[in-house]
Amino acid sequence: MRILETLDAQRGHLFPWVPVALAAGIGFYFTLTAEPGAVIWAGVTGLCGLFLLLSWVVGPRAGPLFVLLFLIGAGGLLAGARTMLVAEPVLKYRFYGAVEGRIIAIDRSFSDVPRLTLDQVWMERFAPDETPARVRVSLHGNQGFFDAEPGLRVAMTAHLSPPPAPSEPGGFNFQRRAWFEKLGAVGYTRSPALAMAPASEGRAGLAIHRLRMAISGAIRQHMPGDEGAFASAILTGDRSAMSQPTLQALRDANLAHLLAISGLHMGLLTAFVFAALRTGLSLIPPLALRVPVKKLAAVFALCCAAFYLALSGGNIATQRAFIMVAVMLVAVLFDRRAITVRAVAIAALIVLLMQPESVTEPGFQMSFSATTALVAVFGALRDWPENWWRMPRWAQPVLAVVVSSLVAGGATAPFGAAHFNQVAQYGLFANLLTVPLMGILVIPAAVVAGLLAPFGVAGIALDVMRLGIGWILFVAEYVAGLDGSTWPVPAPSDWVLPIFTIGALWLILWQGRWRLLGAVPASLAFVLWAQTSRPQLLISDNGSLMGLMTEQGRVLSKGKGAGFSAQNWLENDGDVATQQQAFGRDGFGGGKGYLIAEVMGQRFIHLSGRGWAGKLPEACAQGWVVMARKLDIPAPEGCQLLDQRALSKTGSIAVFKGPDGPIITKAKTLAGDRPWTQ
């Protein structure tokens, strides 16, 4: 058969498809609207066993087809097993009371206040088997009665809620992320949080944390301002001193990835250490002739990468970067080519086996899309004639940087635009001016500073590092200030990214002229994206906010409050307006306390403020009634009511234009009956 002949021609190039098939099964599991039962899981397990048996029976030509089916099924089984393994109690209702726990993570909240993640949780009136394994609490009000550090046991009176459902149907699913982080409740406290037991008793990475904070403090003392904050962020993962305007400028210039400790930093650091050590040892003839200096350099670089992983705080993105670097360095130890598509596939496979839920995360998608594209492009260039460059040798690295920025930027742009709803129009320009400096100056200076620190002369290297960081921040502010620096884009439908990914991977991984077929689904994805329609009306999950789409953009029912939902709606629309600006637009009928939104003849009336009870009968006669309260009086007969009680069952609501009238979509219906939604 022609299909089998075509498949046979791919022999030797099929391994990179292993993580792709596994990810397809994992992705399919997360699209389900109901959790499979024991019978279904048993059936899938049986089918996987059958496919594996058939792959052996039919022989090497048709066998890969059955291996592919086995891997897809195994991906679903892996995701299901992971879901069960991380299962922990989740808060079922709003809670106010005493909370005690051990700090395991410290960061900042959406409102830019300190936020603590606690484990070993005790909650007032909760039995141990009903208490969430972890809770996250933002510290508002009068705080500062202790220095937060991992291991410290703290107590507070907190307002906690279950992890929130999507702010709109089909939107970002924080409930699912919280489930896999074992995070059973989130909330805040306005009363002082107090220390109950010293961090030395709780441990929880205390020694590493204190080392990180000591290094971060020493850097900022020598290098004050945003330069020192930037240096601390890329070396220790501590972003606490970064100013919000600088962070926003880095995002708008598409340079935020320079701040996050990910593949770029891990790769640059290990590459510098590996190259420096290998070169230095090679200059000692007696040693170079007796010791495999290349392998020795690889082992030392791997140790440095592991130390950098611990020092940075070990977040998920850094873990992925470490795995990719480790796979490549281990390949050097076994005399294999380090930078290959196969090595990237092994790294992806390890990440998926450890954390299958990563396939839904933007970090995973952007990291591996950039790495795969870079390896594929430079692998193809390596096979070209040596004289194709036709330029001086000194200029070739410059061209390599340009090509790298183009390839990495092009590979990650669709994923970044889909998840963050904007494209940095001058991002390539900004990256060309800054990324080379990270590799040539900033990271090498950081490594040298670490080597000189025990001798008390790290300041020399930090001063060099400051020059590079100063330039990066200057470029970020300049580019972010240009007219049209960011181009907002609407959120795509759920199928856009999977279709684009299939096409892009086919173009990269398939061998032969048929690889060009990958351009078809990749192009189709952008066509579908361009045709994406946004809801005509959005209603928040507590009824406090409505957003009506108009020719000017979405108009919001209030200028303050429900800020998280308002920001998400506007971002998903591809709208750069603030909540206050969207509130000032025309679109709602009625007046204050009685706003009317109309979609294809169907009216939705938002009741608020005093006197709502007297307006209820008239509103019910006109259409759906939306209220940010639980109705405690009998509703008029036949009233279509969306109060807090009803919305707690439906979640946020989206209203679309349909062929026969408005179509109402509910967030909880789309999210389905999954462990993280119950």
Side-chain angles (χ1 to χ4, degrees), residues 87-109:
E88 294 287 352
V90 176
L91 193 63
K92 302 296 183 185
Y93 49 84
R94 295 180 67 88
F95 163 85
Y96 174 74
V99 179
E100 186 178 322
R102 181 184 67 164
I103 299 174
I104 57 171
I106 307 160
D107 61 354
R108 300 192 75 81
S109 69

Side-chain angles (χ1 to χ4, degrees), residues 403-569:
V403 173
S404 297
S405 296
L406 281 170
V407 172
T412 58
F415 298 96
H419 289 290
F420 306 116
N421 304 111
Q422 70 175 30
V423 175
Q425 303 225 60
Y426 307 114
L428 174 60
F429 172 66
N431 277 273
L432 288 176
L433 292 177
T434 55
V435 172
L437 212 60
M438 283 289 292
I440 296 171
L441 194 65
V442 176
I443 295 298
V447 175
V448 174
L451 295 174
L452 295 178
F455 307 101
V457 289
I460 300 171
L462 290 177
D463 287 336
V464 175
M465 190 179 180
R466 173 192 249 166
L467 295 174
I469 293 174
W471 172 254
I472 290 170
L473 296 180
F474 167 76
V475 171
E477 292 176 6
Y478 174 76
V479 171
L482 295 174
D483 290 338
S485 60
T486 57
W487 175 34
V489 294
S493 60
D494 292 340
W495 286 103
V496 167
L497 282 185
I499 292 173
F500 171 79
T501 303
I502 291 170
L505 287 172
W506 188 275
L507 280 167
I508 293 172
L509 301 181
W510 195 259
Q511 305 299 308
R513 60 184 180 181
W514 289 106
R515 69 168 32 172
L516 296 178
L517 286 176
V520 175
S523 302
L524 176 62
F526 288 107
V527 173
L528 293 175
W529 195 339
Q531 295 177 345
T532 298
S533 62
R534 293 287 297 149
Q536 286 298 114
L537 181 68
L538 286 165
I539 302 170
S540 66
D541 59 359
N542 61 3
S544 65
L545 185 69
M546 289 206 316
L548 177 66
M549 184 64 77
T550 68
E551 292 181 358
Q552 302 173 1
R554 193 171 300 279
V555 54
L556 299 178
S557 60
K558 58 197 297 187
K560 292 182 180 179
F564 184 75
S565 292
Q567 179 177 322
N568 274 272
W569 293 356

Side-chain angles (χ1 to χ4, degrees), residues 213-236:
M213 293 302 101
I215 294 173
S216 181
I219 290 172
R220 293 204 301 271
Q221 184 177 4
H222 184 87
M223 200 188 308
D226 281 336
E227 289 93 344
F230 188 101
S232 296
I234 64 173
L235 292 180
T236 67

Side-chain angles (χ1 to χ4, degrees), residues 66 130 178 206 208 242 280 393 485 505 507-508 553 560 577:
F66 290 105
E130 297 176 343
L206 178 61
I208 290 292
M242 287 295 298
R393 184 174 293 274
S485 60
L505 287 172
L507 280 167
I508 293 172
K560 292 182 180 179

